[in-house]
Amino acid sequence: MAVSNNIIATINFIALICSIPIIFTGIWLASKPDNQCIRSLPWPIIFLGVLFLLLALTGFIGAHWNNQGLLSFYLFCNAALIVTGIILLILAFIVTHPSGAYSVPGREYDEYRYMGYSEWLREHITDPENWRSIKACLASSSICSKMVRDSYTAPQFFNARISSLQSGCCKPPTVCGYQYVHPITWINPTNPMGDVDCIIWNNDPNQLCYNCDSCKAGVLGNLRKEWKEANVILIVAIVALVFLYLIAFNAYKNSQAGPKK
């Protein structure tokens, strides 16, 4: 019994330390310029890291002091967190599977189609109330102005790996046929009816394509990319929780059985 409890105490102490990078990953995602206008992504990761930390602490204390009540509580919470994590992982995969990205001939970067993303993402991220605040945040950010500071020539710009936000919000869709002046100034469209966003585009730095469906698609494209990265963290956390649960369950059974005669 003592050996099993020592093992689970040691493993949970390691898990306690490992929960810190998960929390800091959420903080790092929140600090990335591409995510500064969408605050909903990092919080689930931070919340997961905090739960992971508290669970590991509970398991460590329960095993170290052989507290049967804490071990029982730890097992219950661990199992619940595993089930919740699997459900979240499945839902995240379903929601982020559709992609609105498409390639454009002569362009290194992708462009983005709003209707290519899942209905859930479209409704919850770009509904009118949310979009007003996201749009205002984008307009006041350096996401588009940064491209001007990079001083692209037309060939350099067309071969640049710009982000989904820059592609969707900082320039008009290629199908419109606008002539490039610099990254956020485009003139003389040859196909102004090629897309509904063509007539929405405005060279005013405070407007650009922030009212365009392509901008909403760019935001969703960025969110999808970040969620897929977060899913990797979630998979690792679930595997670790299953491993911890198996060890803890074995320790709990041994403690219930009592010392052998």
Side-chain angles (χ1 to χ4, degrees):
M1 180 179 70
V3 174
S4 297
N5 281 4
N6 285 337
I7 291 174
I8 189 173
T10 302
I11 294 296
N12 275 282
F13 180 74
I14 296 172
L16 195 69
I17 297 173
C18 291
S19 67
I20 297 174
I22 298 176
I23 296 172
F24 275 97
T25 298
I27 296 172
W28 171 71
L29 284 173
S31 66
K32 289 180 67 176
D34 285 357
N35 297 325
Q36 64 181 335
C37 296
I38 303 178
R39 298 298 184 184
S40 59
L41 171 66
W43 290 111
I45 299 174
I46 295 173
F47 183 66
L48 175 67
V50 171
L51 285 180
F52 200 89
L53 186 148
L54 293 175
L55 188 64
L57 184 62
T58 302
F60 174 79
I61 294 173
H64 186 73
W65 277 280
N66 193 26
N67 187 309
Q68 300 302 301
L70 273 181
L71 279 176
S72 299
F73 180 72
Y74 168 77
L75 286 171
F76 173 78
C77 291
N78 199 330
L81 196 55
I82 290 171
V83 173
T84 302
I86 292 173
I87 292 172
L88 287 175
L89 189 62
I90 294 172
L91 290 177
F93 176 79
I94 293 172
V95 166
T96 60
H97 181 66
S99 173
Y102 63 95
S103 58
V104 180
R107 304 290 188 268
E108 186 67 24
Y109 50 79
D110 286 335
E111 294 192 351
Y112 299 84
R113 187 175 293 107
Y114 179 61
M115 296 304 294
Y117 294 96
S118 69
E119 184 178 356
W120 187 92
L121 273 183
R122 296 199 310 269
E123 288 183 354
H124 287 77
I125 303 301
T126 61
D127 67 88
E129 184 175 347
N130 283 340
W131 186 247
R132 278 193 295 271
S133 60
I134 293 173
K135 182 174 65 175
C137 178
L138 289 171
S140 62
S141 72
S142 62
I143 290 171
C144 294
S145 60
K146 180 182 181 299
M147 295 196 302
V148 179
R149 294 196 299 269
D150 290 337
S151 301
Y152 291 108
T153 63
Q156 288 174 332
F157 182 78
F158 297 148
N159 287 283
R161 298 292 295 178
I162 61 177
S163 70
S164 60
L165 288 176
Q166 291 171 329
S167 175
C169 305
C170 306
K171 64 170 193 59
T174 300
V175 70
C176 304
Y178 276 91
Q179 180 183 341
Y180 176 90
V181 177
H182 65 68
I184 61 172
T185 301
W186 301 72
I187 59 174
N188 303 328
T190 58
N191 185 27
M193 303 307 294
D195 190 282
V196 293
D197 290 341
C198 297
I199 57 175
I200 297 176
W201 167 259
N202 194 307
N203 284 317
D204 182 344
N206 293 315
Q207 297 188 45
L208 300 181
C209 224
Y210 297 131
N211 291 308
C212 299
D213 280 350
S214 66
C215 187
K216 294 178 181 179
V219 169
L220 295 178
N222 181 72
L223 189 64
R224 178 181 183 271
K225 175 177 70 75
E226 300 293 356
W227 273 15
K228 283 190 170 295
E229 292 176 0
N231 283 348
V232 175
I233 300 171
L234 187 56
I235 290 171
V236 172
I238 290 172
V239 171
L241 285 171
V242 171
F243 180 65
L244 290 173
Y245 181 83
L246 293 175
I247 296 177
F249 185 72
N250 181 63
Y252 184 76
K253 283 201 308 181
N254 288 340
S255 66
Q256 288 293 308
K260 294 182 179 180
K261 296 181 180 179

